[in-house]
Amino acid sequence: AQTVTQSQPEMSVQEAETVTLSCTYDTSESDYYLFWYKQPPSRQMILVIRQEAYKQQNATENRFSVNFQKAAKSFSLKISDSQLGDAAMYFCAYRSRNNDMRFGAGTRLTVKP
Amino acid sequence: GAVVSQHPSRVICKSGTSVKIECRSLDFQATTMFWYRQFPKKSLMLMATSNEGSKATYEQGVEKDKFLINHASLTLSTLTVTSAHPEDSSFYICSARPGRSYNEQFFGPGTRLTVL
């Protein structure tokens, strides 16, 4: 079974600074997708960024970028120029070919003004 | 973007009663829908996966007779919590995907269930 591990229960960053959230996963498959979701206090899951495993290039979405290390099974999220609105729970997720999406335990990000 | 709605957003019920939660894809057809459960300050745990017109596939440890899932159409899935007990109190989130090969899932806003 695939597992997703987020080893940082909480992280804090100063507004306008950069923060990196860690995620590792375990799988025996070669074709899969990885995601970072944001869950604000409203509890609505919001897709931040996704990465196809077959793509070597790291995905980027504005201030959000990932460092995808397939061999190391690592998928970290970097948030640049952090904003107060970035404060939320962040979940790393893995989706395999059999279509199940599995989530890590989450990292609570606090942004200090 | 694709929108998934859930109804109700929160429900309070008495122990022993049944509660139905609806999940609708508003602007796309969802061949696959997923139901997750989230405890406070915890992650989302997949309960079951349902494909339109077929029986749901439940995760290990999830009682299929207690959590009845129906995916009767390409835009509607329902989760019925039967004979609810206080330990069933949780946040339930549905998710829908347009097609088998599509790599994104769209999430509903969730339903908070409180069983007294």
Side-chain angles (χ1 to χ4, degrees), chain B residues 9-23:
Chain B
S9 58
R10 63 177 60 198
V11 57
I12 300 173
C13 69
K14 293 182 178 180
S15 185
T17 61
S18 295
V19 175
K20 180 184 284 188
I21 302 170
E22 290 187 349
C23 175

Side-chain angles (χ1 to χ4, degrees), chain A residues 26-88:
Chain A
D26 183 29
T27 184
S28 58
E29 300 180 346
S30 60
D31 189 14
Y32 49 87
Y33 304 98
L34 296 165
F35 306 84
W36 278 98
Y37 281 90
K38 171 184 178 181
Q39 189 181 43
S42 68
R43 306 291 288 271
Q44 174 72 58
M45 296 290 283
I46 300 168
L47 177 66
V48 175
I49 199 166
R50 67 169 172 260
Q51 173 86 40
E52 289 89 345
Y54 66 86
K55 290 186 177 179
Q56 292 187 341
Q57 186 174 7
N58 289 325
T60 299
E61 288 287 345
N62 300 316
R63 298 183 295 108
F64 300 88
S65 61
V66 299
N67 183 4
F68 174 46
Q69 301 290 326
K70 191 172 184 178
K73 297 179 182 175
S74 171
F75 183 61
S76 61
L77 174 70
K78 185 172 80 172
I79 305 175
S80 304
D81 185 24
S82 297
Q83 301 175 359
L84 295 178
D86 294 334

Side-chain angles (χ1 to χ4, degrees), chain A residues 35 43-44 50 99 104, chain B residues 43 59 97 103-104 107 112:
Chain A
F35 306 84
R43 306 291 288 271
Q44 174 72 58
R50 67 169 172 260
N99 301 328
Chain B
S43 186
E59 293 298 301
R97 186 156 70 235
N103 66 8
E104 187 171 345
F107 287 83
R112 178 171 300 284

